């Protein structure tokens, strides 16, 4: 398990740090360090109960097993996050002041650092604070910017601490793990498309977007510069990537096409409609006594068009969701669309398919077939990227 140190300084957003710490303990070993002022907002016992570890506050605490604690904690950390970071603590970090446990450990720590500012708008916008933030960024620290909204002090503006889920994503992105996609561009599509019949109605499908979003997130964590092209699925836009929202299959085709050339990897996880209404009525269609037939026409097959234009080392991956003859149909797709890999999943298998957080898939390559067990969509995304990186390495070898 990776080790995360969470620094909590004295602002009202310290209450949100409790949720952050609780969430982090599900995936990591967590050590909390509080400033003296932070203990006015949240009792250290809260963090101690959540982490199962003594909360560090006082540099000269005599109640300890002998260790120079700020140094040992600094070395223990795989990543250091400070949430909330007040204007005061940011100013101390920026000028190397170490006058308590948090600031000394921070200065002694060489791990990646994530700073999550939270304060009154005027304090945040003050050029002194902005310059301090700028300085920390120049030292390679990552800022998770505050959001705008109604602040605890009654003012409205920038200064609200980012939500724990967003901070967690920044942590995932910055954790020091092997980054085989560093310097690579990945284009990922996700979610359903919406095909309008009239200004009120549309045809869509059950895609939740979860699989494609997991593929995009894992690519980001592995170091890729990610563009996510998303159908309307209502999921929060992932942190640390560019997300482009689209509606129809045609919108998705256009958004993908302009970015395809520059992408090293393209993963088409979206459930793109194969058909769209032949005529879209400008006015709302009124019901009649008779039944209604709608003429549908084919949409452009995005994956196929990408396969036709695939260049050099580019790696192209599609998905196949079938209810019968899974492997045979998926293999046909691999050939017909000139893809390097198809992720095939059978909608009828327990735990696979739409809306679930899990999936059961088989990876189909030209000369290989990898059957994977039931696993989370995140884990499956990890397996997908492992294979795609292998394919890219092979291509690189043959192109040399
Ligand atoms: N796809 C696409 N453009 C479309 C339709 C699908 O790029 N207009 C992509 C999907 O993102 C997915 C793969 O193609 O990666 C799915 O292949 P497809 O042949 O469309 O499968 P189905 O929609 O299941 O169609 P079929 O009836 O042939 O099984």
């Amino acid at each position: 398990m990776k080790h995360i140190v969470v620094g909590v300084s004295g602002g009202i957003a310290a209450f949100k740090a409790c949720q952050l710490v609780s969430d982090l303990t599900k995936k990591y070993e967590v050590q909390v360090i509080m400033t003296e002022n932070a203990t006015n907002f949240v009792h250290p016992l809260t963090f101690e109960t959540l982490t199962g570890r003594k909360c560090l506050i006082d540099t000269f605490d005599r109640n300890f097993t002998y260790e120079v604690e700020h140094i040992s904690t600094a070395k223990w950390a795989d990543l250091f996050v400070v949430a909330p970071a007040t204007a005061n603590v940011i100013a101390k970090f920026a000028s190397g002041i170490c006058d308590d446990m948090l600031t000394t450990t921070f200065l002694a720590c060489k791990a990646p650092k994530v700073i999550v500012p939270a304060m009154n708008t005027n304090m945040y916008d003050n050029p002194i604070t902005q310059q301090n933030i700028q300085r920390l960024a120049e030292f390679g620290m990552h800022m998770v910017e505050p959001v705008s909204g109604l602040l605890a002090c009654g003012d409205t503006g920038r200064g609200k601490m980012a939500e724990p889920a967003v901070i967690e994503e920044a942590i995932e992105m910055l954790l020091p793990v092997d980054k085989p996609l560093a310097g690579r561009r990945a284009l990922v599509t996700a979610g359903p498309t919406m095909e309008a019949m009239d200004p009120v109605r549309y045809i869509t499908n059950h895609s939740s977007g979860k699989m494609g979003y997991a593929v995009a997130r894992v690519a980001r964590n592995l170091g890729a510069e990610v563009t996510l092209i998303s159908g309307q699925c209502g999921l929060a836009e992932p942190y640390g990537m560019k997300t482009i929202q689209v509606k129809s299959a045609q919108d998705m085709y256009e958004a993908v096409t302009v970015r395809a050339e520059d992408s090293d990897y393209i993963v088409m996880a979206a459930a793109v409609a194969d058909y769209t209404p032949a005529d879209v009525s400008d006015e709302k269609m009124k019901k009649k006594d008779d039944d209604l037939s709608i003429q549908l026409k084919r949409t452009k097959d995005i994956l196929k068009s990408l396969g036709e234009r695939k260049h050099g080392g580019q790696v192209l991956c599609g998905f196949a969701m079938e209810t019968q003859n899974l492997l045979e149909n998926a293999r046909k797709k691999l050939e017909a669309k000139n893809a390097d890999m198809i992720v095939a999943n059978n909608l009828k298998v327990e735990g696979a398919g739409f809306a679930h957080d899990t999936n059961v898939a088989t990876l189909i390559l030209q000369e290989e077939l990898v059957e994977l067990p039931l696993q989370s969509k995140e884990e499956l995304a990890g397996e997908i990227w492992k294979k795609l990186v292998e394919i890219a390495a092979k291509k690189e070898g043959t192109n040399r």
Side-chain angles (χ1 to χ4, degrees):
M1 250 191 185
K2 295 271 185 202
H3 297 167
I4 311 278
V5 171
V6 181
V8 180
S9 60
I12 182 57
F15 87 91
K16 279 204 213 166
C18 302
Q19 185 64 54
L20 174 68
V21 167
S22 168
D23 294 346
L24 290 177
T25 53
K26 299 194 175 87
K27 290 191 192 156
Y28 313 106
E29 285 253 23
V30 182
Q31 171 68 61
V32 175
I33 308 180
M34 299 177 84
T35 62
E36 193 70 46
N37 286 343
T39 64
N40 288 313
F41 292 93
V42 176
H43 199 282
L45 182 63
T46 308
F47 292 121
E48 287 173 351
T49 311
L50 290 169
T51 62
R53 288 170 168 273
K54 182 173 177 198
C55 183
L56 306 177
I57 302 159
D58 177 7
T59 329
F60 300 103
D61 187 353
R62 305 303 304 153
N63 177 18
F64 64 112
T65 53
Y66 191 78
E67 267 181 333
V68 182
E69 209 143 29
H70 64 280
I71 304 298
S72 62
T73 307
K75 284 186 184 154
W76 178 87
D78 290 306
L79 186 138
F80 202 129
V81 54
V82 184
T86 58
N88 183 46
V89 93
I90 287 172
K92 286 189 193 174
F93 290 157
S95 39
I97 292 173
C98 351
D99 60 355
D100 62 3
M101 192 56 150
L102 176 58
T103 46
T104 39
T105 312
F106 187 88
L107 200 69
C109 182
K110 287 178 150 178
K113 298 193 182 75
V114 177
I115 316 268
V116 193
M119 65 197 76
N120 165 269
T121 305
N122 293 340
M123 292 171 84
Y124 184 71
D125 287 340
N126 191 308
I128 302 173
T129 305
Q130 284 303 314
Q131 210 173 59
N132 287 333
I133 287 175
Q134 173 78 25
R135 196 165 153 77
L136 294 180
E138 280 163 14
F139 283 124
M141 293 170 206
H142 185 88
M143 297 294 146
V144 179
E145 291 191 3
V147 289
S148 291
L150 178 63
L151 305 174
C153 54
D155 284 359
T156 303
R158 284 200 300 177
K160 261 173 105 75
M161 188 169 95
E163 288 304 316
V166 174
I167 304 169
E168 248 188 276
E169 283 207 49
I171 291 171
E172 267 177 27
M173 179 172 94
L174 290 157
L175 261 179
V177 293
D178 198 20
K179 305 268 181 193
L181 295 177
R184 304 290 163 155
R185 289 204 184 105
L187 185 62
V188 179
T189 67
T193 59
M194 288 162 74
E195 307 304 321
M197 289 161 57
D198 67 11
V200 180
R201 305 172 182 96
Y202 57 85
I203 302 172
T204 189
N205 58 64
H206 289 293
S207 171
S208 64
K210 286 182 181 174
M211 190 64 237
Y213 274 57
V215 168
R217 280 199 172 92
V218 170
R220 173 203 63 197
N221 297 348
L222 296 176
E225 186 190 315
V226 182
T227 303
L228 171 64
I229 299 180
S230 174
Q232 303 298 295
C233 56
L235 296 178
E237 292 188 359
Y239 186 80
M241 66 183 74
K242 186 179 170 89
T243 302
I244 297 161
Q245 299 284 348
V246 296
K247 285 190 174 149
S248 66
Q250 180 63 24
D251 294 345
M252 188 168 277
Y253 172 80
E254 286 165 19
V256 169
T257 304
V258 292
R259 290 166 184 88
E261 181 75 17
D262 290 340
S263 304
D264 301 299
Y265 294 87
I266 308 180
V267 181
M268 287 291 307
V272 187
D274 292 319
Y275 296 94
T276 191
D279 298 303
V280 183
S281 165
D282 285 340
E283 305 300 334
K284 184 185 168 207
M285 296 185 329
K286 298 299 285 178
K287 70 172 164 300
K288 304 204 173 82
D289 290 338
D290 299 339
D291 291 344
L292 173 72
S293 302
I294 299 166
Q295 179 80 24
L296 299 174
K297 62 176 186 190
R298 283 292 306 264
T299 56
K300 291 197 183 91
D301 189 325
I302 307 171
L303 186 57
K304 192 154 180 266
S305 79
L306 293 169
E308 284 160 6
R309 299 186 301 137
K310 189 163 68 171
H311 60 73
Q314 194 174 53
V315 178
L316 189 57
C317 172
F319 273 67
M321 182 168 274
E322 307 284 349
T323 54
Q324 54 186 348
N325 304 330
L326 173 75
L327 299 184
E328 196 188 316
N329 285 336
R331 195 162 272 293
K332 274 190 201 150
K333 277 181 192 149
L334 184 79
E335 298 300 333
K337 306 198 185 201
N338 192 25
D340 296 290
M341 186 167 95
I342 293 284
V343 182
N345 47 122
N346 189 335
L347 201 55
K348 291 195 171 160
V349 170
E350 186 74 25
F354 296 130
H356 294 283
D357 290 323
T358 55
N359 210 343
V360 186
T362 305
L363 307 183
I364 295 168
L365 293 84
Q366 285 297 346
E367 288 144 16
E368 202 185 343
L369 193 148
V370 187
E371 285 195 44
L372 297 168
L374 175 73
Q375 55 192 338
S376 71
K377 287 184 171 170
E378 292 280 326
E379 286 165 331
L380 173 56
E383 296 290 342
I384 291 170
W385 281 111
K386 208 158 82 188
K387 263 294 160 232
L388 295 179
V389 167
E390 266 177 46
I391 294 171
K394 253 190 215 158
K395 285 193 179 204
E396 219 166 274
T398 46
N399 284 347
R400 235 182 242 144

